[in-house]
Amino acid sequence: MMTLPINTFVDSYIEHASASMRADLHEVLAIMRLIAPHAELSFELGIPYFQQDSDLLFGVAARENHLCIYFDDTSEFYSFAERLNHAQFGENCLTFHHLHDININVFAELLSQIKVHSIKRGRDRLAHLLH
């Protein structure tokens, strides 16, 4: 288990990302924080990610020439593929080369929908346990 403070980890993670990805990585993390201000930022997976009620909301990994946005279930969100030109949906991720290539408003809407879907899934799980 890593013992670095969260801010130190995030700063180090951004610093060690390729130079072309640093500004976008910083901006994506800021957007994620705005969407989920009460979520816990963690790094046990080796990347910065946000979780709520111990469930993964979303995380971001910097690669050499693109960013990967991870979340649990893309099946609910393929409708965003058409609106996020220059982004590709994978099994549990969305990738894009540069933040300026995609519509940031649609990206923020996607993250908001992921958050709502996660909260609803948690409530459904709780309701099932109570019955």
Side-chain angles (χ1 to χ4, degrees), residues 82-98:
E82 199 171 284
R83 296 170 55 208
L84 285 170
N85 298 352
H86 305 291
Q88 296 80 40
F89 278 88
E91 188 172 320
N92 287 334
C93 68
L94 169 76
T95 62
F96 52 87
H97 293 282
H98 297 286

Side-chain angles (χ1 to χ4, degrees), residues 22-120:
R22 289 180 193 146
D24 285 353
L25 180 58
H26 189 278
E27 183 72 18
V28 165
L29 286 165
I31 292 168
M32 289 177 168
R33 173 56 67 204
L34 284 171
I35 299 297
H38 301 293
E40 177 185 353
L41 177 59
S42 193
F43 59 92
E44 280 80 23
L45 299 174
I47 63 169
Y49 68 95
F50 292 85
Q51 61 183 12
Q52 192 159 325
D53 300 326
S54 300
D55 288 334
L56 170 72
L57 286 176
F58 30 68
V60 59
R63 303 296 182 230
E64 185 63 31
N65 65 352
H66 65 277
L67 293 178
C68 293
I69 309 301
Y70 291 99
F71 46 99
D72 275 344
D73 181 14
T74 59
S75 65
E76 298 279 327
F77 307 108
Y78 282 117
S79 63
F80 283 88
E82 199 171 284
R83 296 170 55 208
L84 285 170
N85 298 352
H86 305 291
Q88 296 80 40
F89 278 88
E91 188 172 320
N92 287 334
C93 68
L94 169 76
T95 62
F96 52 87
H97 293 282
H98 297 286
L99 195 55
H100 68 268
D101 290 339
I102 65 170
N103 185 318
I104 293 177
N105 292 326
V106 175
F107 178 64
E109 182 184 347
L110 170 64
L111 293 179
S112 296
Q113 288 297 314
I114 291 168
K115 178 184 170 190
V116 167
H117 184 260
S118 178
I119 291 169
K120 183 182 179 317

Side-chain angles (χ1 to χ4, degrees), residues 120-131:
K120 183 182 179 317
R121 194 174 56 237
R123 286 183 181 159
D124 291 348
R125 211 174 26 241
L126 180 61
H128 178 72
L129 291 172
L130 295 174
H131 287 97

